[in-house]
Amino acid sequence: MRRTPAFTLIETLVVIAIVAILAALLFPVFASARESGRRTVCISNLRQLGLAEQMYEQDYGEFSPHLSDVERAYVRDTRIYLCPDDRFHGQTGGSARLEGSLYLPSGVSYDYVPQWSVAIQLGWWNPPPYIGHGKWEDETPLAQCQWHWASRFNPNRTANEQGARGWEIVLTAGGSVRKVRVETPPEAFDPGFYH
């Protein structure tokens, strides 16, 4: 009689345990890599919007009244208005600052800082309709993405919620994309906080 080689129950359980341990170690790495990829797409979107805003500013001598206003002449693909982390895909009601689908049917995920009442009160931007250079010229925040740390959309929000933690991606008036801690209150903001 010939014996067929096979795994014993103990050997099978050991293999399953090793696979489970490896999976537990690797899944957070995969999730982190995926989030990093979404953040990279968001940064690319903001850079493209920055270029569109700069072209608009060169043509009209001021920044657009709304972030979505550059869509008509300077943006070919409206998907650049959507952050991959925005679970609503820009389809929310909004305001001049947090547009959502208020002006552009395909939606906008990004905040437009010149239309933020707090930024106007603090002197970052002059009150609309004329949106000229901001307080810090090219370093003034022009648009920002909060979807990488926030999970809710509040068009009436004037400041970050108490205890908020994380990084906010910021497009500056000069077209560069930077990041800043959300814990920084608007009253204390300075371009020196950029990373």
Side-chain angles (χ1 to χ4, degrees):
M1 235 169 114
R2 243 174 93 208
R3 286 186 77 184
T4 308
F7 285 111
T8 65
L9 180 59
I10 298 292
E11 290 171 330
T12 304
L13 291 174
V14 168
V15 169
I16 290 172
I18 291 171
V19 169
I21 290 169
L22 288 174
L25 292 172
L26 291 177
F27 283 147
V29 173
F30 292 146
S32 175
R34 186 172 180 209
E35 173 55 29
S36 178
R38 288 195 299 256
R39 191 175 298 112
T40 301
V41 169
C42 180
I43 289 169
S44 173
N45 289 349
L46 283 171
R47 281 199 177 113
Q48 291 177 63
L49 287 173
L51 290 171
E53 279 290 345
Q54 287 179 330
M55 288 188 287
Y56 185 100
E57 200 252 346
Q58 287 173 356
D59 288 347
Y60 296 100
E62 63 179 331
F63 289 107
S64 63
H66 307 289
L67 189 59
S68 59
D69 284 341
V70 296
E71 181 267 333
R72 292 176 193 90
Y74 306 102
V75 174
R76 290 183 186 222
D77 188 352
T78 56
R79 289 180 292 182
I80 71 167
Y81 287 100
L82 302 176
C83 172
D85 270 5
D86 177 3
R87 61 186 170 148
F88 303 109
H89 309 292
Q91 296 302 307
T92 54
S95 63
R97 177 188 180 210
L98 300 166
E99 293 182 32
S101 54
L102 193 61
Y103 305 111
L104 187 64
S106 57
V108 177
S109 298
Y110 304 113
D111 304 349
Y112 195 46
V113 182
Q115 294 284 10
W116 184 23
S117 59
V118 172
I120 294 168
Q121 290 169 0
L122 294 173
W124 297 7
W125 292 96
N126 291 326
Y130 175 72
I131 303 177
H133 289 286
K135 179 178 180 178
W136 297 284
E137 297 287 329
D138 285 351
E139 293 295 310
T140 309
L142 182 66
Q144 57 193 9
C145 179
Q146 303 190 12
W147 292 105
H148 300 279
W149 67 271
S151 58
R152 288 183 293 155
F153 178 90
N154 182 358
N156 301 315
R157 178 180 56 78
T158 57
N160 296 335
E161 291 182 14
Q162 187 117 14
R165 299 279 181 268
W167 290 99
E168 190 170 16
I169 301 172
V170 176
L171 169 67
T172 67
S176 65
V177 177
R178 312 292 290 276
K179 62 181 183 174
V180 68
R181 297 294 303 181
V182 298
E183 297 92 319
T184 307
E187 306 81 40
F189 174 80
D190 184 89
F193 292 127
Y194 286 141
H195 288 268

